[in-house]
Amino acid sequence: MYVIVVGGGKVGYYLTKELLSAGHELVLLEKDGRRARQIADEVGSIVLNRDGCEGKHLEEAGANRAAIVCAVTGDDEDNLVVCQMAKHHFDVPRTIARVNNPRNEQLFRHLGVDEIISPTRMALAAIEQDIPVHELLHLAQLQGGEVELLEAQIDSSSPLIGQRPSDVHLPEGCSLFGVIRGDSAQSLRPDTVFEAGDKVLALARADCEVELRRQLIGDHVPEAARS
Amino acid sequence: MSQGTRAPRTVIIGCGRVGAELAGRLCGAGHEVTIIDAFTEAFARLPETFTGQAIRGDGTDEDVLRRAGTEGADFFFALTEGDNRNVLAAQLAAESLSVQNVVAKINDPVRADAYAALGIATICRTRMMVDALGTHVGLPRDLTAHGVKRATGRHHADHDTDRGEAAPAGAAELAGATSGTSAGAGA
């Protein structure tokens, strides 16, 4: 598979090495001359000292026949432009962008970037699992981010206490499917009654998160945020 | 969109020579102008005629744009030194913040054409200067090099409708979702 990687920072560098060792054909575009030479010394002539944001250079790199263009520079704006040019100018089937500002994720998807890698979001998710500030943890993103797997921590102020699954009316596209109580995970049964200390597992459309939080956690300010 | 005699509201990112000069002129013409730049020193370029608001911040950050009142602005001009920053800011303004009239300065002619085809109006200093100097030595004038190049294409992959009277369905949805979130956060 022919892959074009744009950006020879740490991510681009290790990505290039991994893809090469997996046997893929690829070209790395890095606009900084010194950095480009440094990587070329190690991996050879597949490094081009070019700015991947320029249509001309993408063309020279063979964007017309690339299966994937992967933009992993440290600047969101550059990654967006690379992906948009690849998609709309060269009909590249799959574009992948690194996004540093999590607020840009929705826009990038909306503008046609196929896959988003968000180091910030990943670090945030890892931290949230240790320190449940938000009481609604993001466990995984599915379907390119449209669907999220969430865990809600139920405390005594949750509107869910004493309710059964049939009492909960979630928006279209959201469902509760399991509960972790003590050390054991169980699937929801019609006679399950939610109690404080439960961790409820939910699948939800990304745009339903606010409503889901209201129904599972309630409107109160989390304790961790108060202190 | 414009109600009665309300002054037009304009947001500019990039307080370079062009941004500063334009901001002053628009203020003189009665616009309510907000200008954003990453460096406070840049605001020293603003002329005396400038009566608007100057905000230090990253013009490609949605939160900064929101704080500057981009939502509901009549015009948005992306005039920083970076073509790609202008592209990102312009698309944030058009797609996430529902500004109808957005122009991005893109000095790379290839990218300028590409983004006009993707639905962003662009202005390209390179083509304007090349044509001005070419005309100066007697070459025929290229009228397409001048002024704002209007968006020719559809806004992006998901949109079937051209940008016309009505905002495309996708943009409206996105705008609705984001404004809902901001209302919640502001409460």
Side-chain angles (χ1 to χ4, degrees), chain B residues 4 26 28 38 46 50 71 81 90 105 112 134 166 168-169 184:
Chain B
L26 290 177
L46 288 167
F50 180 77
E71 232 170 345
E81 278 303 295
K105 182 183 81 168

Side-chain angles (χ1 to χ4, degrees), chain A residues 51 53-56 76-78 80-81 84-85 88-89 101 103-104 106-112 210, chain B residues 60-63 66 84-85 87-88 91-92 95-96 108 111 114-115 118 156-159 170 174 178:
Chain A
D51 181 358
C53 300
E54 302 239 358
K56 197 164 78 89
D76 287 2
E77 58 270 23
D78 292 359
L80 175 66
V81 167
Q84 285 191 298
M85 293 294 281
H88 302 289
H89 235 59
N101 180 351
R103 292 296 294 270
N104 285 336
Q106 199 186 5
L107 178 77
F108 279 35
R109 285 205 177 89
H110 181 64
L111 293 173
V210 173
Chain B
T60 63
D61 186 322
E62 188 180 324
D63 293 335
R66 244 176 235 289
N84 297 346
R85 256 176 289 154
V87 160
L88 174 54
Q91 293 184 109
L92 271 171
E95 294 292 320
S96 303
D108 171 18
R111 240 172 293 174
Y115 275 98
L118 276 174
H156 60 80
D158 296 342
H159 289 177
L174 190 72
T178 43

Side-chain angles (χ1 to χ4, degrees), chain A residues 164-166 177-179 181 186-194:
Chain A
R164 291 169 198 276
S166 59
F177 66 93
V179 58
R181 186 169 288 173
Q186 34 195 280
S187 53
L188 286 189
R189 291 190 311 266
D191 63 342
T192 302
V193 178
F194 296 109

Side-chain angles (χ1 to χ4, degrees), chain B residues 79-155:
Chain B
L79 303 173
T80 76
E81 278 303 295
D83 283 4
N84 297 346
R85 256 176 289 154
N86 294 339
V87 160
L88 174 54
Q91 293 184 109
L92 271 171
E95 294 292 320
S96 303
L97 303 169
S98 313
V99 184
Q100 293 290 318
N101 199 323
V102 173
V103 180
K105 182 183 81 168
I106 304 184
N107 288 333
D108 171 18
V110 180
R111 240 172 293 174
D113 288 347
Y115 275 98
L118 276 174
I120 295 283
T122 57
I123 184 161
C124 180
R125 186 177 59 197
T126 310
R127 293 188 69 211
M128 291 199 316
M129 286 184 64
V130 167
D131 189 61
L133 294 169
T135 313
H136 180 70
V137 301
L139 298 182
R141 197 174 154 85
D142 172 12
L143 286 172
T144 64
H146 293 273
V148 171
K149 192 176 174 72
R150 300 190 47 160
T152 52
R154 43 195 205 138
H155 210 57

